[in-house]
Amino acid sequence: MKIELVTDATAGGKKAAEYFLAAKQDGVKTFGLATGGTPVTTYAALVAGEIDFGDAVSLNLDEYVGLGANDPQSYAAYMQAHLFSQKPFAASYLPNGLASDLAAECARYDQLVAENPIGLQLLGIGENGHIGFNEPGTSFDSSTHLVNLTESTIKANARFFARENQVPRQALSMGIGTIMQAKQIILEAYGEKKAAAIKAMVKGPVTEAVPASVLQRHENVIVIVDPAAAAGLD
Ligand code: PGA
């Protein structure tokens, strides 16, 4: 793993956007995208820059079950607001959280990923070490699947909702096996709440108890962290 220490999330977003531009210039056609608080500065930097995704494809990591694109809390709506409305892709895909047959939706999404191999995947990390919505204990071989969110994730994400009981209890997420197929991975983390997860990811044993630790087995991972998130590293 290559560690990029930045002063703050704004600088980190600019750094991540530089990697996007380099990947694009290198011929990458498919970008794996993430939601949550962390990538906001990355999308702001991409929107402010010259990058053109008009010939590229995006595939998001995950979506809440039960929320459609018209719901402002859906990840589809988040992506529209932060990136797609200003930097449209030729095609953008997210799992469909309203699908009536969730197993079939997972299979459809895996097929999309197979048809559009991801050149660069953006990731955040949960305080419990999750990547995507792959909670501790998820198999490293997993493909897109239905997830029961843990209490810690529900609590962490409640800040985006008016009330905690509005946070969906389930999500569809690319699996860890899916994520590991990406040619290059950028993981961003900012703030002291992420320090323990970053330390476990970088220095701890590779274990399904810490999903992000699997990234030690990937040959092209860039970790962008601010000093607070890097506090447990040397
Ligand atoms: P956050 O979430 O960016 O909102 O902190 C990261 C994650 O849970 O992967």
Side-chain angles (χ1 to χ4, degrees):
M1 291 186 198
K2 179 178 177 194
I3 310 286
E4 292 265 18
L5 185 62
V6 294
T7 50
D8 56 21
T10 302
K14 286 186 182 147
K15 178 63 71 181
E18 286 171 19
Y19 279 101
F20 270 75
L21 190 58
K24 189 87 192 8
Q25 288 169 344
D26 208 28
V28 167
K29 286 277 179 255
T30 302
F31 293 84
L33 303 177
T35 52
T38 306
V40 167
T41 55
T42 299
Y43 297 141
L46 288 170
V47 165
E50 295 304 312
I51 199 163
D52 179 1
F53 290 120
D55 60 352
V57 170
S58 72
L59 284 156
N60 262 79
L61 285 168
D62 45 21
E63 179 61 281
Y64 287 120
V65 169
L67 300 192
N70 290 334
D71 190 309
Q73 304 291 2
S74 71
Y75 287 162
Y78 170 107
M79 290 309 304
Q80 194 61 32
H82 288 283
L83 188 63
F84 299 158
S85 59
Q86 295 148 94
K87 292 280 185 184
F89 286 70
S92 286
Y93 302 105
L94 290 94
N96 176 9
L98 294 180
S100 54
D101 182 341
L102 294 173
E105 175 58 13
C106 291
R108 181 192 78 93
Y109 208 69
D110 280 334
Q111 185 62 32
L112 277 172
V113 178
E115 288 165 6
N116 298 278
I118 294 172
L120 189 164
Q121 174 69 54
L122 186 63
L123 294 178
I125 185 170
E127 291 168 38
N128 63 6
H130 74 209
I131 48 175
F133 268 135
N134 295 288
E135 302 284 23
T138 306
S139 166
F140 283 167
D141 297 327
S142 49
S143 53
T144 304
H145 60 290
L146 175 64
V147 176
N148 293 314
L149 300 178
T150 61
E151 277 307 312
S152 80
T153 296
I154 290 166
K155 276 196 178 3
N157 288 5
R159 69 189 195 277
F160 298 114
F161 292 79
R163 284 198 306 278
E164 189 177 315
N165 66 8
Q166 292 174 341
V167 185
R169 266 41 189 174
Q170 291 185 310
L172 300 178
S173 179
M174 276 188 200
I176 294 176
T178 325
I179 292 168
M180 287 293 281
Q181 288 168 30
K183 205 166 144 221
Q184 181 177 51
I185 293 174
I186 298 178
L187 184 145
E188 294 178 80
Y190 308 113
E192 61 185 350
K193 283 187 179 169
K194 302 293 173 72
I198 289 294
K199 182 180 179 185
M201 172 183 86
V202 175
K203 296 174 71 174
V206 176
T207 166
E208 288 177 354
V210 181
S213 68
V214 74
L215 299 177
Q216 292 180 30
R217 293 185 180 160
H218 194 288
E219 61 183 20
N220 191 346
V221 177
I222 295 120
V223 181
I224 302 176
V225 277
D226 67 358
L233 306 180
D234 299 327

